[in-house]
Amino acid sequence: MTSRSAFVGLSFWILLGGQLCSLFGQAPAQPSWSLTDQIDRLVTQSTGVSEWTLASDATLIRRVTLDLVGETPATSEVRAFIVDASPEKYVQLVDRLLSDPRHSRRMADWLDLTLMERRAKVHIDLTEWKTYLENAFQDQRTLDSIVRQILMADGSDALGRPAARFYLARSVEPNLLTRDIGRFLFGRDLQCAQCHNHPHIEDYNQSDYYGIFAFVNRSSLFTDKDKKAFVADKADGEVEFTSVFTGDEGRTGPQLPGGARLIEPIIPPDQSYTTAPADGVRPIPNFSRRKWLAEHATDGDNAAFNKNWANRLWALMFGRGLVHPLDLHHRDNPPTHPELLETLGSSLSKYNFDTRRFLREVALSRAYRRAFSSELPAWMTQSELDLPQQIETLSAQKDQLVSELEGAKKSQLETLTAWRETRNALDTTIDAWIVAKTDGVKLESNQRVWSTELQNLTEQANLLERRRELLQKAIAGLENASETLEPTSFLPTQKIFRTRIEALKPDLDKSQERIEELKTQLSPTADLIRNSREKTEQLQSLKHQQESIEADLKKTWASHQNQFDQKSYRIAQLNKAIKLLATGRNLMDSQREWTEHQQQLGQQRIQLEETAQRLEETRQFVLETSRKLTLGEKKRAQLMGQRNQLQTNLSQGKRIQNELASALTAVDSIPDPSESSKLISIRESLVQQVIRRKQASLLIESELAQTSQAFRRTESTQVALKSSMTKWTTLLSELESVQQMAQQQMTELEKRTISLASNTDALRSAWVETAEAGLIASGLTPLTPEQLAWSLMQVTGVIDNQIQAQLNQLDKDEPLTDAQKSQPDLLTERKVRAAALARAKLQSSVNVFVSLFGHGAGQPQDGFFATVDQSLFFANAGTVRGWIAQGGNSLYQRLRKIEEPEAFAEELFLSVFCRPPSQDELALVDEYLSQEGTNRSTATQDLIWALVTSSEFRFNH
Amino acid sequence: MRCDYACGSFDHLQARRKFMGSLASGATLGGLGVLTRPLSAEQLKRKQKHVLVFNMAGGLSQLESWDPKPSTATGGPFRAIPTSVPGIHISELLPKTAEQMHHLALVRSINTQENDHGKGSFMMQTGRAQMPGVSYPKIGAVAAKALSDNQNSLPGHIQITPGGGGNRGNDSAYLGPKYSSVVLGNGNPPKNSQRPESLSEEADQRRNELRRRMNDLFANRRRTAMTDAYTASYEQALDLMHRREVFDVTKESKKDQDRYGSHDFGRHCLLARRLLERGITFVQVTHSNYDTHNENFNFHLEQLGEFDGPFATLVSDLASSGLLENTLIVVLSEFGRTPNINQYFGRDHWGKAWSVCLGGANIQSGAVWGATNAQGTEVSENEVDHGHLFHTYLQAVGVDTTESFDIDGRPMPIADPASEPIKDLLS
């Protein structure tokens, strides 16, 4: 099994025609199913694509290892996984990764990034905070308990102090806390709702913002005399707000987004604090709203909280949430798979927020294991699938649903209004009830305080009275005595006693006065309490009544809403299916048109070539003819000359012949015979000459006849050649214009083909996006800075080397005895320790990556960006170069020992990309290694560098 | 995770050609050259706008600079001198700047009501008041985003600081790290921009060619806007290394180096000129430190003595090269300093009535906006704040500040919608 198979065309199946749609109407996934099965079923239902090809082993082990432990797998792990034939190997892999200590680190990184967005160190040390989170996950603590501790933290608990970073790094600023609690805990960025109802998002109201605000507005930063920071809470402080748009005013108590109204316990004013506020003292109230938030948010019943975390954990595995951006859960930004998100949220709560259990189910789903492809699935390209017809059918169904929804909207709105009205009435009752109850509690508290005071005062008054009586008795005694004894001797004492009595008087009077006052205050209090109790009870029963009405109406509304949502979901599903089909169709059309154009272009090219060939041939003919014409002309002239010469010769001969004939006639006319013998010989000679001449003439004549014939022949050939020449030249110019036109057409066609190609390109991207969003194909996710750093150190061998160094150090510092060396537990424990030490040591390198590849502090951290400082770092920084050229047990050293290019390439690709190389890649490696002018060491480093800087390494896929 | 395709760069199209080539079973496509021809240098030059900010860190005293009140109880010991613009007087501590006043303008009626360094700086740099839980991009990031040419491998947002540097600034908020500042600590070139000595240019080219070929094999199968951006960043790195001299002020002529002076601030000003001339959109030079709670007058004498020459030279150079037409200059602080002179001969933080100097681009040169009363204790006319100034800066370089940036479908107003520019300052 190699990674190559992942890129071969995939086969998707869709249920055709009515079946595609009836699938949407099917019963929902059964809760008794495993979450894994529910995920797959719900994804299938949502797109109508019922089966999808899974990623190759190589892709899968890289993907899941990156997602669960935050770095790429070791070469040996990849090798072992690929050759393992066990059907259980993937489940075993997932279980192994989830129990790996690196999983805790990965989760700590994730939660830190989520909650802190790389905020700088303020009050709490970053390492302590990260260690706190890592330990929490390592100790198998559940997400709700971690979040609860973070929300409750005030920094006073020495062990849990790092948990206070969430508050302290934000200086316990209530607006900042409100925004981030809204975003991170409930997935709602309520920022705009700080000053007014959200302008773009119907669901986000100013009261939602202030509902959260009310939980934290009583908290503030407290710094003790040692300049140590804590979170301090007060027992009072209500929230009122005004819209900057409408000027409307509102008032709210603490309320969770999407949650029911919360009613605070009513604490008597005299019991507000365990530690009362004072100068330099951190107040601790008996009831802390902040802690109340922690309890209510994490109790498993708040759907917004559950869905938020389910969505964030989903995004941890899939690179994007079902709701995306992760902090914009609202009606206008619905989840791509609403029912799936519902299921995930309730499952997370059902699992008691056990993230390992949740992630395991997600990792095992086929949706998670899906392959990547930019190609259209086979079912879509099948000729029997009439896409336009399909789209039309689905659109009609959608339109039907939309109109039904419009109808339902009205009745839904009516129920909503009825429910809201009841809720408002209930709210008023609750307000009144709270006022009555608070009054009652206050009265009781007064009664308690006053009674105690009265009792104390009465006791005090009695005491004073008794002293007065005693004194009076003493005076009376003295008086009696003075009657019997000498009176004057007692006078001073009596005076003293009298003065004492006088001195007691104001106190006694004051006490009496206060006692009277208290009695007056107390006498109606009992009645008032009774009244208040009655009123409270009345209001309570009214509240109960209204509550049940409200509950009924809410149920009605919820069921309407549910139906409404079901319809909306179905519409969304249909929209998705339509979009999927339409995108596919557009891509297919564009692809087809492009292919046609390509073919036309090919044909046009052939035609052009043919024309060119004919042109060439024609040109040749023209040339040949012209050459022949020239030659013929020459021959004609020659023949003409010959003919003229012959004619001249002939006429000359004829003239001589005539002269001879005249001479012969003259000889014959001589009468003297005496001269006859002489004459005879002359005559004879003349006759001979005439005969010779005649013969010569005949010869010339025949020659002339021949030459004339040849001349005439040549002349007629020339005429024929000339006419053929005209024909060829015409043809030539015709062909030339044909060629020109064809070339123009070709240019046009080329232009059109290019634009079609770019159109196809864009449509393919749209398809990949749609397929990715529909979870029928995997997308690319950039590695986080941490993943990138750890993976690079893993691949190059930096981690292994550092662990070895730490082991050596441990062996040196705490040598093992021979007996100890044979204890496997001890050795394993030592390795785990060394690994932890190594990781801690390498953290500073990770921080370098964070500063380059991470977003700014306090900014959303999930967008991808590529900047020059990053590539300059990879290109020139000593860090990266040093890692690549590592000694010890590094990739570089392993590669140096491999001679054979194929084995070299395999080791390289398995180590960096977790997959074997393709033929092309093999060839490239071979070529580079054998290139002239490079030595093998440099070439090896270059090859590692080229791979770790490639997109394939930068992304998870 | 959005990343736009439409960058139209050559590499992009090259990659696409390769991508399509692989799909087209070997068929080649011609004629792409037409699409890839970038704007000519001339066209770019004409369009390119720049912003140059001088950040007088700590809080420059308006009374010792742009708004002197000589011979009053608050005026301090320095005189006011006439400038090249009749009627405008500035402190005698800025004699060379005074000669360039016809290229500059003053706003003397700023009231930001903020006396905290952090908050004041935030307001002046972002044009908004700080609110917990909200962050806004600084003017450099906004200018880089609004004015930069996407194809430039050189950064659009540069900070020249007296020291430190090396890392990307966290100053672009929702505009993203692409527009964060590249910090040139003490004018040093960007980190890692120097090829290691052990790596020859030829060897670097060889390994980069290998990287391209390896990467293409992956891109052929899984090309997305993200992979394109990542791949392009390596080409940009090579380009930046190739153009590294842009950051090297020692490449300026000996004469110019002498004119600007050998001290840090002089070098930084010359570097700023060099960067602007080479197409960088935004440069901020920080001059520190004006936080003169003690000995205000001695410190200003010293600090402005250093500032005046290089600043005036830079203004004059930009004016004579014509670059000033397209370059906005701003001299700002987080606040001004109190008219009241404290017992240590210092002046304290003062956001109530202070000044900013600006000029170039579409700023009305030689103008003065607003005034303070006789002793400089209050704004007496045309009061403005950070919001007005921010609108004015950006409008001076042609940015419509009533528009919004589209950030993942969320409209983010470029400047505070509740404020507006000082229209009279814009020509």
Side-chain angles (χ1 to χ4, degrees):
Chain A
M1 199 57 210
T2 73
S3 64
R4 282 195 295 279
S5 59
F7 313 124
V8 180
L10 305 173
S11 59
F12 287 72
W13 298 95
I14 191 166
L15 298 174
L16 302 180
Q19 280 174 293
L20 172 76
C21 313
S22 73
L23 188 64
F24 293 132
Q26 275 187 6
Q30 298 302 309
S32 60
W33 294 358
S34 73
L35 180 57
T36 302
D37 289 340
Q38 290 188 62
I39 291 170
D40 288 338
R41 180 55 181 266
L42 289 167
V43 169
T44 306
Q45 275 184 9
S46 162
T47 48
V49 179
S50 61
E51 206 164 278
W52 58 101
T53 302
L54 303 182
S56 69
D57 283 347
T59 305
L60 201 53
I61 187 174
R62 185 176 190 265
R63 181 189 296 173
V64 75
T65 310
L66 273 167
D67 285 340
L68 291 181
V69 301
E71 63 194 44
T72 51
T75 323
S76 56
E77 289 170 331
V78 177
R79 277 214 172 84
F81 187 73
I82 291 176
V83 297
D84 191 347
S86 156
E88 295 299 304
K89 66 177 178 180
Y90 180 67
V91 183
Q92 287 163 358
L93 172 67
V94 169
D95 285 337
R96 187 155 48 77
L97 293 173
L98 285 170
S99 58
D100 193 304
R102 291 176 300 172
H103 174 67
S104 302
R105 190 197 64 207
R106 162 80 168 142
M107 294 305 285
D109 282 348
W110 165 77
L111 193 56
D112 167 44
L113 197 66
T114 303
L115 294 176
M116 298 314 297
E117 292 185 328
R118 307 206 187 281
R119 281 177 189 277
K121 176 199 159 172
V122 185
H123 304 302
I124 302 285
D125 181 68
L126 292 182
T127 314
E128 282 175 22
W129 158 251
K130 284 290 276 291
T131 311
Y132 158 77
L133 291 178
E134 199 171 327
N135 289 344
F137 281 105
Q138 193 56 33
D139 297 343
Q140 312 267 353
R141 281 182 56 193
T142 54
L143 188 60
D144 62 325
S145 99
I146 302 172
V147 171
R148 197 157 44 242
Q149 187 176 18
I150 289 170
L151 288 179
M152 287 192 168
D154 58 16
S156 63
D157 161 22
L159 280 176
R161 180 163 165 84
R165 171 160 151 80
F166 182 78
Y167 290 119
L168 295 180
R170 293 174 173 86
S171 305
V172 205
E173 205 299 313
N175 282 302
L176 184 53
L177 287 172
T178 302
R179 182 187 187 207
D180 284 352
I181 288 169
R183 288 170 65 210
F184 305 145
L185 268 52
F186 302 99
R188 296 176 190 207
D189 186 352
L190 297 162
Q191 186 55 53
C192 293
Q194 184 176 345
C195 310
H196 43 76
N197 287 346
H198 201 289
H200 308 304
I201 301 170
E202 216 181 299
D203 306 7
Y204 291 2
N205 293 321
Q206 212 172 352
S207 57
D208 290 330
Y209 180 89
Y210 285 99
I212 298 178
F213 186 77
F215 281 112
V216 290
N217 81 311
R218 294 175 170 185
S219 305
S220 59
L221 186 71
F222 174 85
T223 313
D224 71 5
K225 58 183 189 329
D226 301 325
K227 306 226 163 144
K228 199 170 171 185
F230 299 90
V231 184
D233 299 294
K234 285 187 303 169
D236 59 337
E238 297 307 325
V239 174
E240 283 165 14
F241 54 88
T242 312
S243 170
V244 296
F245 286 172
T246 60
D248 290 348
E249 286 177 9
R251 184 173 175 277
T252 184
Q255 198 165 339
L256 296 178
R261 175 164 182 173
L262 293 171
I263 299 167
E264 283 179 273
I266 294 160
I267 309 235
D270 57 329
Q271 292 168 20
S272 295
Y273 287 97
T274 47
T275 308
D279 217 20
V281 176
R282 186 170 68 93
I284 301 171
N286 260 323
F287 172 75
S288 156
R289 279 189 176 177
R290 201 164 52 78
K291 296 185 178 173
W292 207 40
L293 164 71
E295 283 159 15
H296 277 284
T298 61
D299 66 5
D301 289 335
N302 187 284
F305 182 87
N306 301 347
K307 280 197 269 188
N308 165 64
W309 286 110
N311 192 48
R312 287 181 183 278
L313 287 164
W314 181 271
L316 174 74
M317 301 294 282
F318 281 80
R320 67 180 278 130
L322 295 170
V323 172
H324 210 86
L326 300 179
D327 56 5
L328 279 182
H329 289 251
H330 60 81
R331 205 164 277 282
D332 291 335
N333 182 36
T336 54
H337 300 72
E339 285 163 289
L340 177 56
L341 186 58
E342 297 285 338
T343 305
L344 291 172
S346 57
S347 296
L348 184 61
S349 163
K350 206 173 69 194
Y351 290 175
N352 296 320
F353 297 92
D354 178 348
T355 49
R356 278 187 180 77
R357 198 174 155 199
F358 183 85
L359 291 174
R360 183 179 188 274
E361 297 285 314
V362 173
L364 295 182
S365 71
R366 286 180 300 155
Y368 178 73
R369 286 145 64 202
R370 76 219 181 282
F372 172 91
S373 173
S374 61
E375 300 301 318
L376 286 174
W379 58 259
M380 207 181 253
T381 51
Q382 278 164 5
S383 52
E384 63 263 38
L385 183 71
D386 183 355
L387 277 178
Q389 177 59 42
Q390 285 285 333
I391 292 171
E392 210 170 291
T393 314
L394 295 182
S395 300
Q397 292 196 5
K398 190 195 82 177
D399 292 345
Q400 170 68 24
L401 275 169
V402 168
S403 72
E404 278 176 38
L405 201 63
E406 281 302 313
K409 228 176 212 170
K410 210 181 144 217
S411 72
Q412 195 239 357
L413 198 69
E414 278 164 12
T415 0
L416 180 65
T417 316
W419 173 46
R420 277 199 180 140
E421 276 166 10
T422 329
R423 205 177 49 178
N424 288 345
L426 176 62
D427 270 345
T428 317
T429 310
I430 290 175
D431 285 340
W433 174 74
I434 290 174
V435 169
K437 194 157 181 207
T438 313
D439 279 351
V441 170
K442 256 188 205 152
L443 284 169
E444 277 170 18
S445 151
N446 286 347
Q447 191 186 35
R448 204 163 47 237
V449 174
W450 292 337
S451 305
T452 318
E453 199 186 344
L454 184 65
Q455 204 179 335
N456 291 341
L457 278 174
T458 315
E459 272 169 27
Q460 201 189 334
N462 288 343
L463 207 73
L464 289 171
E465 191 60 37
R466 269 202 22 234
R467 279 175 67 190
R468 197 172 64 101
E469 275 167 18
L470 280 172
L471 283 168
Q472 261 165 356
K473 251 186 210 157
I475 294 171
L478 285 172
E479 268 170 7
N480 281 340
S482 69
E483 278 167 20
T484 48
L485 299 166
E486 197 179 336
T488 50
S489 60
F490 296 113
L491 278 175
T493 319
Q494 273 177 333
K495 204 176 171 188
I496 290 169
F497 284 2
R498 283 215 179 84
T499 324
R500 284 198 187 159
I501 288 173
E502 279 307 304
L504 280 174
K505 206 173 174 255
D507 278 353
L508 204 57
D509 286 353
K510 227 169 95 187
S511 296
Q512 293 302 359
E513 212 176 294
R514 180 74 185 135
I515 284 167
E516 283 315 306
E517 200 184 329
L518 282 171
K519 276 184 182 155
T520 346
Q521 277 178 343
L522 267 170
S523 72
T525 303
D527 285 344
L528 282 173
I529 288 176
R530 210 172 312 116
N531 287 345
S532 162
R533 271 204 194 123
E534 270 167 26
K535 197 173 164 194
T536 309
E537 270 159 28
Q538 274 170 15
L539 281 166
Q540 183 141 4
S541 79
L542 179 63
K543 180 173 149 254
H544 283 318
Q545 267 174 32
Q546 284 178 335
E547 266 169 355
S548 81
I549 298 172
E550 193 261 357
D552 284 349
L553 277 169
K554 188 181 177 180
K555 221 182 267 167
T556 318
W557 173 78
S559 94
H560 278 222
Q561 182 66 29
N562 191 33
Q563 284 169 17
F564 192 81
D565 283 347
Q566 288 298 326
K567 285 209 170 79
S568 305
Y569 289 172
R570 288 244 290 282
I571 292 172
Q573 285 173 355
L574 284 166
N575 273 334
K576 209 182 300 168
I578 292 167
K579 191 182 172 198
L580 195 75
L581 294 181
T583 314
R585 187 190 161 195
N586 288 343
L587 175 57
M588 233 187 299
D589 287 351
S590 177
Q591 229 167 358
R592 191 182 308 124
E593 211 183 330
W594 180 57
T595 318
E596 279 167 15
H597 272 74
Q598 288 274 79
Q599 279 166 1
Q600 277 183 33
L601 206 59
Q603 280 166 6
Q604 191 78 18
R605 268 202 199 97
I606 294 170
Q607 215 181 322
L608 253 177
E609 268 165 31
E610 277 172 1
T611 315
Q613 206 180 336
R614 279 187 63 198
L615 253 174
E616 191 49 41
E617 278 168 16
T618 314
R619 272 203 198 95
Q620 283 303 320
F621 277 124
V622 170
L623 270 176
E624 183 68 12
T625 315
S626 140
R627 198 173 52 83
K628 275 185 188 158
L629 262 172
T630 318
L631 276 176
E633 190 58 35
K634 231 187 239 168
K635 197 173 166 195
R636 199 182 68 101
Q638 197 195 344
L639 282 170
M640 191 145 69
Q642 263 175 30
R643 199 187 58 175
N644 289 349
Q645 189 61 48
L646 282 171
Q647 269 169 348
T648 314
N649 290 353
L650 191 67
S651 54
Q652 229 171 21
K654 283 256 171 79
R655 195 167 35 83
I656 293 169
Q657 203 184 325
N658 285 343
E659 277 168 14
L660 282 172
S662 324
L664 196 63
T665 314
V667 169
D668 282 343
S669 62
I670 293 168
D672 185 6
S674 59
E675 299 289 329
S676 64
S677 64
K678 210 180 167 182
L679 276 173
I680 283 168
S681 88
I682 287 171
R683 196 176 181 274
E684 198 57 25
S685 142
L686 280 172
V687 168
Q688 284 304 321
Q689 277 189 49
V690 169
I691 287 168
R692 275 210 307 275
R693 282 286 156 196
K694 266 189 180 163
Q695 280 171 344
S697 283
L698 276 174
L699 221 64
I700 289 173
E701 262 170 7
S702 110
E703 208 178 326
L704 184 63
Q706 272 174 22
T707 308
S708 293
Q709 209 181 342
F711 177 72
R712 271 194 307 277
R713 261 206 325 266
T714 311
E715 218 158 34
S716 79
T717 309
Q718 283 298 86
V719 170
L721 273 173
K722 265 182 194 150
S723 103
S724 132
M725 183 69 172
T726 320
K727 235 169 64 197
W728 285 125
T729 353
T730 320
L731 183 60
L732 190 67
S733 69
E734 265 172 28
L735 279 171
E736 268 167 355
S737 75
V738 166
Q739 190 187 32
Q740 208 178 351
M741 258 170 59
Q743 230 141 20
Q744 266 171 11
Q745 278 174 10
M746 172 102 157
T747 316
E748 282 299 305
L749 206 56
E750 271 176 351
K751 253 191 221 160
R752 177 94 185 100
T753 311
I754 287 164
S755 99
L756 274 170
S758 90
N759 190 36
T760 308
D761 201 14
L763 284 168
R764 187 178 302 281
S765 303
W767 164 257
V768 169
E769 226 170 81
T770 314
E772 196 183 324
L775 295 173
I776 62 175
S778 93
L780 295 182
T781 312
L783 303 190
T784 64
E786 286 87 353
Q787 283 176 326
L788 186 61
W790 289 119
S791 296
L792 188 58
M793 289 193 279
Q794 204 291 117
V795 162
T796 49
V798 173
I799 298 178
D800 281 351
N801 280 344
Q802 186 58 240
I803 291 176
Q804 193 53 51
Q806 294 295 340
L807 266 180
N808 295 347
Q809 191 62 42
L810 279 178
D811 287 344
K812 206 175 124 196
D813 293 346
E814 306 162 32
L816 293 175
T817 62
D818 284 343
Q820 283 173 323
K821 276 179 192 163
S822 58
Q823 294 176 5
D825 284 358
L826 214 63
L827 293 175
T828 311
E829 188 262 354
R830 185 156 275 223
K831 269 185 198 151
V832 171
R833 256 175 78 198
L837 287 167
R839 299 270 173 186
K841 181 123 192 182
L842 294 172
Q843 185 61 42
S844 61
S845 299
V846 177
N847 295 344
V848 174
F849 280 74
V850 168
S851 73
L852 281 164
F853 292 87
H855 283 260
Q859 295 298 324
Q861 300 287 321
D862 56 353
F864 175 75
F865 67 97
T867 47
V868 184
D869 52 356
Q870 299 171 348
S871 43
L872 284 172
F873 173 75
F874 259 94
N876 299 328
T879 320
V880 177
R881 289 167 59 74
W883 288 355
I884 288 173
Q886 281 275 301
N889 179 26
S890 66
L891 174 60
Y892 171 56
Q893 300 298 341
R894 289 205 304 279
L895 289 174
R896 262 161 50 114
K897 290 177 197 131
I898 305 176
E899 275 297 318
E900 207 269 312
E902 217 163 294
F904 181 104
E906 198 197 73
E907 179 70 23
L908 176 66
F909 276 75
L910 276 178
S911 299
V912 183
F913 292 159
C914 311
R915 64 169 175 89
S918 69
Q919 284 306 314
D920 287 346
E921 288 160 341
L922 202 64
L924 194 52
V925 170
D926 196 11
E927 182 195 317
Y928 199 78
L929 283 174
S930 51
Q931 206 174 33
E932 265 180 66
T934 48
N935 68 42
R936 202 175 169 89
S937 305
T938 317
T940 305
Q941 288 177 24
D942 286 356
L943 279 161
I944 300 174
W945 183 81
L947 260 65
V948 299
T949 53
S950 121
S951 298
E952 184 165 357
F953 188 73
R954 179 73 183 83
F955 294 90
N956 193 358
H957 24 85
Chain B
M1 212 73 66
R2 203 168 294 182
C3 192
D4 289 333
Y5 261 126
C7 92
S9 73
F10 177 72
D11 294 323
H12 199 124
L13 288 159
Q14 277 292 94
R16 171 149 72 208
R17 180 156 57 174
K18 281 176 189 158
F19 178 56
M20 293 193 308
S22 73
L23 295 171
S25 60
T28 50
L29 301 168
L32 274 170
V34 189
L35 303 168
T36 61
R37 192 175 303 142
L39 286 175
S40 73
E42 275 306 305
Q43 279 171 303
L44 277 178
K45 215 174 196 176
R46 229 177 319 124
K47 284 184 175 174
Q48 176 75 61
K49 301 275 183 188
H50 310 268
V51 178
L52 169 62
V53 171
F54 289 89
N55 178 28
M56 313 296 265
L60 169 70
S61 168
Q62 71 283 2
L63 297 158
E64 274 67 55
S65 55
W66 315 118
D67 193 13
K69 303 285 179 188
S71 317
T72 66
T74 55
F78 302 117
R79 289 181 308 137
I81 53 168
T83 65
S84 59
V85 179
I88 301 184
H89 287 63
I90 61 173
S91 169
E92 64 171 328
L93 299 182
L94 296 166
K96 292 184 175 129
T97 303
E99 289 168 20
Q100 302 299 328
M101 206 62 223
H102 56 290
H103 294 306
L104 301 167
L106 296 174
V107 178
R108 281 172 168 165
S109 52
I110 304 170
N111 182 1
T112 48
Q113 299 175 341
E114 182 54 68
N115 293 338
D116 177 85
H117 284 291
K119 286 179 188 160
S121 173
F122 183 94
M123 288 160 95
M124 290 302 289
Q125 292 274 344
T126 66
R128 332 252 180 151
Q130 208 169 10
M131 241 172 94
V134 200
S135 55
Y136 291 106
K138 289 192 179 169
I139 178 156
V142 174
K145 167 125 179 132
L147 302 173
S148 280
D149 154 29
N150 245 337
Q151 297 174 32
N152 202 336
S153 64
L154 296 176
H157 178 190
I158 283 186
Q159 298 270 348
I160 303 174
T161 54
N167 287 327
R168 194 168 57 224
N170 183 19
D171 42 23
S172 55
Y174 46 73
L175 298 182
K178 194 175 168 196
Y179 300 104
S180 295
S181 58
V182 167
V183 185
L184 308 182
N186 197 19
N188 291 319
K191 214 171 176 180
N192 295 318
S193 59
Q194 175 92 56
R195 183 177 295 112
E197 270 178 33
S198 57
L199 184 68
S200 72
E201 191 172 344
E202 191 204 349
D204 198 19
Q205 272 173 14
R206 199 162 45 221
R207 70 171 189 168
N208 272 292
E209 191 45 41
L210 177 69
R211 175 184 59 74
R212 284 182 201 109
R213 290 175 69 186
M214 284 289 182
N215 195 57
D216 283 352
L217 289 172
F218 179 74
N220 285 341
R221 302 187 304 259
R222 301 186 186 194
R223 191 171 144 265
T224 69
M226 287 192 290
T227 62
D228 278 357
Y230 185 65
T231 308
S233 75
Y234 280 90
E235 300 306 327
Q236 286 169 0
L238 285 173
D239 192 39
L240 187 143
M241 283 157 69
H242 187 66
R243 293 158 74 183
R244 192 167 181 268
E245 286 194 350
V246 167
F247 304 97
D248 188 356
V249 79
T250 63
K251 293 284 184 293
E252 290 291 330
S253 72
K254 175 83 177 55
K255 194 178 147 213
D256 274 343
Q257 294 191 43
D258 289 344
R259 284 172 63 230
Y260 279 84
S262 57
H263 57 280
D264 288 348
F265 182 71
R267 277 197 304 113
H268 297 169
C269 284
L270 183 55
L271 177 60
R273 191 191 81 176
R274 188 175 170 83
L275 293 169
L276 293 171
E277 283 171 351
R278 278 156 184 75
I280 306 275
T281 302
F282 179 95
V283 181
Q284 175 164 311
V285 182
T286 295
H287 195 221
S288 189
N289 182 308
Y290 289 87
D291 197 14
T292 51
H293 294 284
N294 301 316
E295 296 291 341
N296 173 69
F297 305 102
N298 283 339
F299 270 115
H300 273 81
L301 180 67
E302 202 175 294
Q303 286 285 99
L304 288 176
E306 188 174 82
F307 173 82
D308 186 43
F311 174 71
T313 309
L314 183 48
V315 173
S316 143
D317 282 0
L318 292 178
S320 50
S321 71
L323 210 52
L324 194 61
E325 274 175 46
N326 292 315
T327 305
L328 170 77
I329 297 177
V330 183
V331 185
L332 53 75
S333 274
E334 54 265 52
F335 39 58
R337 305 212 75 84
T338 48
N340 179 49
I341 299 161
N342 68 26
Q343 55 178 327
Y344 310 106
F345 302 104
R347 295 191 193 267
D348 302 313
H349 302 175
W350 178 249
K352 216 175 133 191
W354 57 288
S355 311
V356 149
C357 169
L358 67 174
N362 290 341
I363 294 293
Q364 186 83 51
S365 43
V368 175
W369 177 261
T372 49
N373 63 11
Q375 301 210 342
T377 54
E378 255 173 48
V379 172
S380 58
E381 60 181 68
N382 293 331
E383 182 176 301
V384 292
D385 64 16
H386 52 284
H388 301 108
L389 289 168
F390 198 76
H391 275 279
T392 311
Y393 302 155
L394 289 164
Q395 295 225 347
V397 284
V399 178
D400 183 353
T401 48
T402 60
E403 289 283 312
S404 292
F405 289 122
D406 180 351
I407 307 298
D408 283 343
R410 300 187 221 192
M412 297 293 198
I414 294 175
D416 188 350
S419 189
E420 57 183 3
I422 308 167
K423 293 197 183 74
D424 290 11
L425 268 187
L426 297 166
S427 58

